[in-house]
Amino acid sequence: MPAMQVKERHITVFAVGIKFPRWEELHVLASEPPERHLLFAGDADDAANGLYSALSDPVCAATAPGCKVESHPCERRTLETVKEVAGNYVCWKGSKQPNAVQASLCPFISKAEPRVRCGSPFPDGQLSRGHAGRVPALQGLPQEVPPSPGGPGLAMSVGVAQYDEHVQIPIELGQHKDAFSLMRSIDALNFSGGRTLTGRALQYVAQHGFRSAPAFADVQDDLPRVVVLLTDTKSQDSVAEAAKYAKDQNLFLIGVGSSSMRAELTTVTGNPQQTIIYSDPQDLFNRMPELQRKICSVGNPEGCQAQSLDLAFAVDASSGAGLENFLHLRHFVRSSCLHFVINRDVTQIALVIYGSKAHTVFALDAHTSNSAVLQAIDQVPFLGGSASAGSALQHVHSDVMTVQKGARPGVNKVVVLLTSGGGMQDAAVPAQQLRHNGILVFVVVIGDTDRDTLLRAAGSPTYLVHISSYEDLQYYQGLIIERICEEARSPVNLCKPNPCMNQGVCILGPGSYRCECHGWEGPHCESSKDPLH
């Protein structure tokens, strides 16, 4: 009754439900038409995103008759958090059909490039008027700053360290606010000579190189942290431990050097795709765009940054793999996660470990940031016992890639099985079940195993990666990430995997789906018709 009274006063009512709401009640409360004013989502953040997209067009864009917006001088620059429409993450919205779900794109929240923020041109805060009478003001209309010649306006802070047997940081992060003064400081750097202790330099930079003030005082500085190692002399100390320490501090390492440095730089970065090899000074200059792309892709990899994905890793923690090799697998999962933007709108990641039984370490919707996922991975224990890859895939199918456990309808889904090859005989059937439900299965196997058994699980040679040793696993990371990103860009079937619970049948419509329920009700057949159930 109160909702009806509000609507009679020409006030628009949006009804927003979370998780499994009472759908009929939302229909009664919301303004007409329901497909415009109904929204429900798995959690409050997703619902807020969907409501924002519903409000943005056309409610907030409406201008009263007779009004016009005039341009005026802008006051200041600021970096602000904004919502951007990007990716293919689907918001669940209302539909003309009572129990159907209308799918539409959601914006996701991200740090925007610097913007010029404009105040009102009129002293009393009014818009210019075409008619007599006062109208509400539209305050703070944003105008975009033209992008810089080097690309979009990125929040970036640059520092420089130089080393021989000693390390110094002549240019600290954030010391220079413009490129010209930074260039003058770089030109003033002096050659020092001395022994090459690259390991010591990496350790020092990891400890002391990122302690400056944030790039923008009014914004939490969660920008990716990158170290570009430029060297042309083999190190006279060990680089492996120092590189591991730097990566454990969530630093992304890129190595640049001549061909004689290839092996050492790959040891530092852990990935040939994070190294740049040049032949002479002119070739080094020519490779600057490649270096720029690698830096700019950190935390926002090319091809994946705007693509939504539900990704599950199933990791062999059995005696067949062994503790030392399990740690290799765990490190591989950790470094792979650095290549994705992890939040509810873009990539969600789940982790399963298995011996004879499978165990969910964390579900798809458990962590909403890269740092939280990395911390959780570091705590993953070794299980031991025999291996059953089949039970791991069955567990992913029934207990990970489901709406109840955080899987999102309308988002591509991938499972990466990391195995020593043990227990693959029982993997073919659950792998086929996953594929039948629209979930791609990558099989990454280390060591000798019967290829026919592996192919039955992978379904195709395209989705099988066979690696001879655990030490070589790091060199295949780029290939595996690239294949996953290709899958993230492929078309999505809203009914695969089935979003309907309790044996409901998913019926696909144009841009929407509905669940045909038997003994249950609600958009996902989540509510029992039997009050005693």
Side-chain angles (χ1 to χ4, degrees):
M1 182 59 71
M4 186 176 72
Q5 291 169 341
V6 167
K7 287 183 280 188
E8 284 174 350
R9 295 176 59 189
H10 305 291
I11 297 171
T12 302
V13 177
F14 285 87
V16 183
I18 310 297
K19 200 71 176 175
F20 301 120
R22 292 191 293 274
W23 192 243
E24 295 78 5
E25 194 169 297
L26 295 184
H27 266 271
V28 173
L29 296 175
S31 291
E32 292 288 336
E35 62 269 20
R36 284 273 305 280
H37 301 104
L38 274 181
L39 179 108
F40 75 110
D43 59 50
D45 288 339
D46 293 350
N49 266 345
L51 182 60
Y52 174 83
S53 59
L55 287 171
S56 298
D57 181 38
V59 178
C60 291
T63 306
C67 292
K68 60 181 179 178
V69 179
E70 294 185 351
S71 60
H72 48 276
C74 296
E75 297 169 354
R76 63 189 177 88
R77 292 169 182 260
T78 183
L79 189 74
E80 53 186 10
T81 298
V82 299
K83 294 182 176 72
E84 299 174 338
V85 177
N88 62 356
Y89 175 36
V90 175
C91 271
W92 302 342
K93 290 192 173 184
S95 170
K96 292 178 181 178
Q97 297 173 306
N99 267 2
V101 177
Q102 184 70 34
S104 66
L105 297 184
C106 296
F108 69 81
I109 298 172
S110 67
K111 291 251 182 352
E113 59 190 69
R115 287 186 167 197
V116 177
R117 188 137 175 99
C118 307
S120 169
F122 306 107
D124 63 351
Q126 305 305 309
L127 289 175
S128 62
R129 299 188 294 277
H131 304 288
R134 296 170 67 82
V135 296
L138 292 179
Q139 292 281 4
L141 296 170
Q143 293 181 357
E144 298 288 349
V145 176
S148 64
L154 296 174
M156 184 175 288
S157 186
V158 179
V160 178
Q162 66 178 83
Y163 71 97
D164 39 53
E165 58 212 62
H166 304 291
V167 190
Q168 55 178 315
I169 303 178
I171 304 173
E172 293 189 350
L173 276 177
Q175 181 178 329
H176 296 285
K177 302 302 182 187
D178 62 86
F180 181 70
S181 62
L182 174 63
M183 293 302 133
R184 281 195 308 188
S185 294
I186 292 173
D187 288 340
L189 295 176
N190 293 313
F191 175 73
S192 56
R195 295 186 301 150
T196 306
L197 300 183
T198 304
R200 181 178 179 179
L202 285 171
Q203 182 94 13
Y204 186 88
V205 168
Q207 288 177 321
H208 305 288
F210 293 88
R211 290 187 172 179
S212 66
F216 296 87
D218 59 340
V219 174
Q220 181 184 353
D221 194 345
D222 57 357
L223 300 172
R225 299 190 298 170
V226 183
V227 176
V228 179
L229 171 65
L230 290 141
T231 178
D232 204 23
T233 312
K234 290 187 177 175
S235 180
Q236 292 170 262
D237 66 349
S238 172
V239 297
E241 281 301 310
K244 182 180 184 304
Y245 175 80
K247 291 170 193 168
D248 286 344
Q249 309 309 306
N250 293 337
L251 301 184
F252 190 89
L253 304 181
I254 298 173
V256 182
S258 62
S259 57
S260 63
M261 297 299 299
R262 186 187 300 272
E264 185 172 301
L265 290 176
T266 301
T267 300
V268 168
T269 63
N271 186 347
Q273 294 196 335
Q274 288 165 226
T275 62
I276 294 175
I277 305 300
Y278 63 88
S279 55
D280 55 53
Q282 180 59 44
D283 187 38
L284 173 60
F285 181 80
N286 294 340
R287 290 182 176 273
M288 286 302 101
E290 181 184 351
L291 176 59
Q292 183 185 32
R293 283 196 303 274
K294 289 185 188 301
I295 294 171
C296 292
S297 70
V298 173
N300 231 12
E302 293 178 30
C304 266
Q305 70 269 33
Q307 301 301 324
S308 298
L309 181 70
D310 284 343
L311 173 62
F313 288 96
V315 179
D316 189 343
S318 70
S319 300
L323 175 58
E324 185 179 347
N325 292 333
F326 168 74
L327 295 178
H328 276 291
L329 296 176
R330 192 174 77 175
H331 178 74
F332 176 83
V333 172
R334 190 185 197 282
S335 60
S336 296
C337 290
L338 293 171
H339 291 261
F340 296 94
V341 180
I342 299 172
N343 60 45
R344 293 197 193 282
D345 298 337
V346 189
T347 301
Q348 290 191 150
I349 292 182
L351 177 59
V352 170
I353 55 174
Y354 70 93
S356 57
K357 292 184 178 178
H359 167 66
T360 300
V361 178
F362 52 85
L364 287 167
D365 60 354
H367 300 298
T368 56
S369 70
N370 287 67
S371 56
V373 166
L374 297 179
Q375 279 186 330
I377 291 171
D378 289 340
Q379 309 303 316
V380 177
F382 176 66
L383 296 178
S386 58
S388 172
S391 68
L393 293 177
Q394 184 60 49
H395 180 81
V396 170
H397 177 267
S398 57
D399 290 312
V400 176
M401 290 293 187
T402 67
V403 171
Q404 301 96 304
K405 297 297 173 71
R408 298 166 295 176
V411 170
N412 280 308
K413 292 170 173 54
V414 175
V415 180
V416 178
L417 177 71
L418 293 163
T419 174
S420 61
M424 288 299 296
Q425 295 79 9
D426 61 352
V429 173
Q432 182 55 41
Q433 281 182 311
L434 286 162
R435 282 192 292 274
H436 179 72
N437 278 318
I439 303 166
L440 192 68
V441 179
F442 274 108
V443 177
V444 180
V445 62
I446 301 95
D448 294 328
T449 306
D450 177 56
R451 184 170 173 82
D452 288 341
T453 304
L454 298 173
L455 273 174
R456 282 195 294 274
S460 160
T462 307
Y463 305 120
L464 174 62
V465 180
H466 202 159
I467 303 170
S468 57
S469 71
Y470 284 87
E471 288 72 23
D472 290 342
L473 178 59
Q474 58 186 338
Y475 304 129
Y476 288 81
Q477 186 181 63
L479 169 69
I480 294 166
I481 299 292
E482 185 181 328
R483 295 251 178 96
I484 293 171
C485 291
E486 285 173 7
E487 177 59 23
R489 294 192 294 270
S490 65
V492 181
N493 182 336
L494 291 175
C495 280
K496 287 194 173 185
N498 184 5
C500 309
M501 299 159 60
N502 300 305
Q503 287 78 51
V505 178
C506 182
I507 309 295
L508 199 59
S512 66
Y513 65 89
R514 65 183 178 85
C515 291
E516 202 171 81
C517 309
H518 304 284
W520 297 79
E521 57 189 359
H524 293 121
C525 307
E526 70 277 2
S527 303
S528 174
K529 287 184 177 179
D530 181 359
L532 299 177
H533 195 281

